[in-house]
Amino acid sequence: MKSLGNIRRSFAPWTDPAAKPFIAVKNVTKRFGDFTAVDDLSLNIYHREFFALLGASGCGKSTLLRMLAGFEQPTAGEIVLDGTDLAGTPPYKRPVNMMFQSYALFPHMTVEKNIAFGLRQDGMSKDEIGERVLQMLKMVKLEKFAARKPNQLSGGQRQRVALARSLAKRPKVLLLDEPLGALDKKLREETQFELMDLQQNLGLTFVVVTHDQEEAMTMADRIAVMSHGKVVQVATPAEIYEAPNSRFVADFIGDVNIFDGKVTASLGDKVEISVDESLTIRVTGAEPLPVGSAAGFAIRPEKLKVTRTPPANPGINAASGELWDIAYLGDMTVFHVKLKSGKVVKASSLNAQRSVEDPFVYDQEVWVTFAEDAGVVLKD
Ligand SMILES: Nc1ncnc2c1ncn2[C@@H]1O[C@H](COP(=O)(O)OP(=O)(O)O)[C@@H](O)[C@H]1O
Ligand SMILES: [Mg+2]
């Protein structure tokens, strides 16, 4: 496979107002008794998109996925797939398949039989099944393991059998609910890339549920961040990270420092926020806000610079404090700086060189500085 990056970079149907969504979830609500698991949720997913539903446990991700699969019916709203309203279409008639975790494999059947199971149920001919199974085995690189039983495979191999089984019927959409949850970290990372390659090569639409933000960031074209049955933000991983639309998303994805203050000026795309007498934050690329209103400012640790040299403009995007904690993590160092106000901020810096002259030490007086476009204003 070649030049995947270039293909992906130009893949952004959601930015095209004329593009039709492949899956349209329209005002879908799901109640269990008087509990609302999915709350008036709408979103669009495009053909060949790798889409992730990300959120804390219990926020309604699996319920939404199960409604796409047809295992649950919405209490209200509709789900349209490729132009057809899915209400009343049973799971087995939907061009959708759900990949279950590997422990859902039939233990008494060989890998080959596990993969063939759904095809046999559909009454496919023996020759066709043989061909399709071989193709699937090749796809997940398990040709040599066709005759083994699941308990003779490693966790990662079992996961690949589960994947092959769910793709054997060539669904248009594959739904994956925490697909890699049972794998250890290293294997999980490898399998993430395999899944991405597969999705690309087969030209399918994948909807994956995960509570692991790194996993969502790695694999997905777009991420829907969910909370309490609602979608809080839908955007690309970079947008979610660099331009979270709310305090919730800023805090949920990655590490962040949040400063609270009052808007003291707002002109064009520039906003000034006064945090306290020792710190005023100037931001560019912001939406206008009423002067006097409360606002937050979110900035990632790697966008904060720690220096010992006093800045040209002390107090403007620069605050002094003392080095409270230094954590050397190998590839980077994380500094905790206790500002004059008492607030502790986190700053990280890459260790591009093996040794540093005159390194930082605990309790040292330092400045924390940042650029005007390094963070985002939070309205809420
Ligand atoms: N069949 C059900 N009956 C009652 N409550 C349910 C049922 N299925 C899910 N729930 C509740 O709905 C909420 C969302 O569940 P779920 O979609 O599984 O969350 P997630 O996958 O995000 O962890 C949870 O509080 C869960 O207890
Ligand atoms: Mg779940």
Side-chain angles (χ1 to χ4, degrees):
M1 210 176 24
K2 54 182 188 212
S3 184
L4 199 124
N6 286 329
I7 299 167
R8 282 335 250 181
R9 229 166 288 142
S10 59
F11 179 82
W14 51 88
T15 59
D16 174 6
K20 285 220 162 44
F22 193 52
I23 302 170
V25 177
K26 298 181 182 177
N27 304 101
V28 166
T29 293
K30 177 67 185 180
R31 285 192 203 96
F32 297 107
D34 58 6
F35 179 78
T36 306
V38 173
D39 192 1
D40 193 23
L41 186 150
S42 297
L43 53 84
N44 291 327
I45 298 171
Y46 292 85
H47 183 51
R48 306 186 78 147
E49 184 169 10
F50 201 132
F51 194 89
L53 299 170
L54 175 68
S57 175
C59 72
K61 305 177 299 290
S62 295
T63 303
L64 179 58
L65 208 67
R66 291 171 60 78
M67 287 192 282
L68 291 175
F71 301 136
E72 300 278 6
Q73 299 307 316
T75 311
E78 57 179 17
I79 298 171
V80 177
L81 193 143
D82 207 6
T84 309
D85 184 349
L86 287 181
T89 308
Y92 64 92
K93 284 204 176 143
R94 297 185 181 205
V96 163
N97 207 347
M98 179 100 116
M99 183 181 115
F100 293 96
Q101 290 200 335
S102 58
Y103 50 71
L105 294 175
F106 301 115
H108 58 286
M109 286 186 196
T110 62
V111 166
E112 198 167 18
K113 292 244 160 64
N114 262 288
I115 297 173
F117 184 77
L119 304 175
R120 261 195 275 143
Q121 277 199 316
D122 281 1
M124 197 186 248
S125 79
K126 229 178 160 184
D127 286 353
E128 267 182 301
I129 292 178
E131 207 173 297
R132 182 72 61 86
V133 169
L134 191 62
Q135 194 185 14
M136 291 295 128
L137 283 168
K138 275 194 188 138
M139 179 185 81
V140 295
K141 301 185 202 90
L142 286 176
E143 298 106 303
K144 292 195 190 116
F145 300 85
R148 291 213 191 166
K149 300 267 175 68
N151 67 2
Q152 296 167 319
L153 299 173
S154 72
Q157 289 165 339
R158 279 201 292 271
Q159 203 59 42
R160 272 149 51 200
V161 178
L163 186 64
R165 188 173 70 173
S166 59
L167 286 171
K169 285 165 83 168
R170 296 203 176 135
K172 288 185 185 157
V173 180
L174 185 66
L175 308 172
L176 306 103
D177 195 345
E178 309 267 1
L180 312 177
L183 307 182
D184 65 52
K185 188 170 155 58
K186 192 137 194 219
L187 191 56
R188 201 159 69 211
E189 284 168 3
E190 273 173 38
T191 317
Q192 285 168 4
F193 287 100
E194 285 178 13
L195 274 180
M196 289 156 70
D197 280 355
L198 260 177
Q199 186 258 352
Q200 280 285 290
N201 292 340
L202 298 172
L204 298 180
T205 305
F206 275 24
V207 184
V208 62
V209 158
T210 177
H211 66 274
D212 180 336
Q213 43 154 305
E214 245 179 81
E215 189 161 295
M217 300 280 282
T218 303
M219 296 198 294
D221 291 309
R222 283 188 310 156
I223 298 172
V225 180
M226 289 180 65
S227 170
H228 298 290
K230 287 182 178 295
V231 164
V232 189
Q233 183 171 14
V234 184
T236 62
E239 285 162 351
I240 294 257
Y241 186 79
E242 300 291 353
N245 69 354
S246 58
R247 196 172 287 257
F248 177 83
V249 174
D251 208 27
F252 187 74
I253 309 284
D255 270 330
V256 73
N257 300 292
I258 296 180
F259 293 91
D260 283 300
K262 269 208 162 46
V263 176
T264 45
S266 175
L267 189 69
D269 75 339
K270 292 185 192 300
V271 167
E272 189 179 272
I273 298 168
S274 166
V275 176
D276 53 44
E277 59 276 12
S278 65
L279 177 63
T280 295
I281 295 174
R282 287 189 187 148
V283 191
T284 56
E287 308 248 317
L289 280 177
V291 171
S293 63
F297 175 73
I299 185 161
R300 304 289 181 192
E302 73 276 13
K303 309 283 196 304
L304 286 182
K305 196 169 170 237
V306 178
T307 91
R308 272 168 295 206
T309 330
N313 254 336
I316 309 291
N317 293 7
S320 65
E322 59 183 283
L323 259 184
W324 198 247
D325 228 336
I326 307 172
Y328 173 75
L329 303 178
D331 56 343
M332 63 171 179
T333 299
V334 177
F335 302 100
H336 288 180
V337 179
K338 189 170 188 184
L339 302 180
K340 286 268 156 63
S341 62
K343 184 182 179 68
V344 176
V345 295
K346 205 170 179 182
S348 62
S349 102
L350 278 180
N351 296 324
Q353 271 140 19
R354 285 187 63 207
S355 64
V356 185
E357 275 174 50
D358 192 14
F360 285 103
V361 292
Y362 287 88
D363 300 334
Q364 212 165 25
E365 286 287 320
V366 291
W367 285 88
V368 169
T369 67
F370 49 93
E372 293 190 359
D373 61 356
V376 291
V377 174
L378 304 170
K379 280 172 274 185
D380 60 342

